[in-house]
Amino acid sequence: MAWKEMTTEELAKSLGLNAAEVREKQRLIGLIIKARKSQKLSQATLAKKVGVSQGRIAQIESGIGTSKISFDVLLNLLSILGYDFT
């Protein structure tokens, strides 16, 4: 089954992760996409700000490799996009 057709619970189980962790990562990825688009930034422009390739931003935004994306990476992207965390 393609990962996009899986429920969060099925995806988490297939990755050996906690479903709550997968849901939170998906929520943060959604915020990244929304913030990038609202600021009219391309993936390439965001990638330059972060110091990664455009392909890596596309990969993160697509959710591919969710288990390997750390919360630190996601929170760093959001910080660069103007979100404050305390």
Side-chain angles (χ1 to χ4, degrees), residues 8-23 25 65-69 71:
T8 301
E9 288 73 21
E10 290 170 333
L11 179 60
K13 185 177 179 179
S14 74
L15 297 172
L17 298 174
N18 178 299
E21 182 179 336
V22 172
R23 273 192 297 277
K25 285 182 176 181
T66 299
S67 65
K68 296 178 184 173
I69 300 169
F71 281 105

Side-chain angles (χ1 to χ4, degrees), residues 53-67:
S53 69
Q54 177 275 327
R56 181 65 176 138
I57 298 297
Q59 184 182 47
I60 290 167
E61 288 187 0
S62 74
I64 295 173
T66 299
S67 65

Side-chain angles (χ1 to χ4, degrees), residues 9-43:
E9 288 73 21
E10 290 170 333
L11 179 60
K13 185 177 179 179
S14 74
L15 297 172
L17 298 174
N18 178 299
E21 182 179 336
V22 172
R23 273 192 297 277
E24 184 60 15
K25 285 182 176 181
Q26 289 175 333
R27 186 183 75 78
L28 293 174
I29 290 167
L31 284 174
I32 290 165
I33 294 167
K34 184 178 176 180
R36 179 182 65 76
K37 288 181 177 182
S38 73
Q39 294 177 33
K40 297 182 178 19
L41 295 175
S42 67
Q43 288 180 343

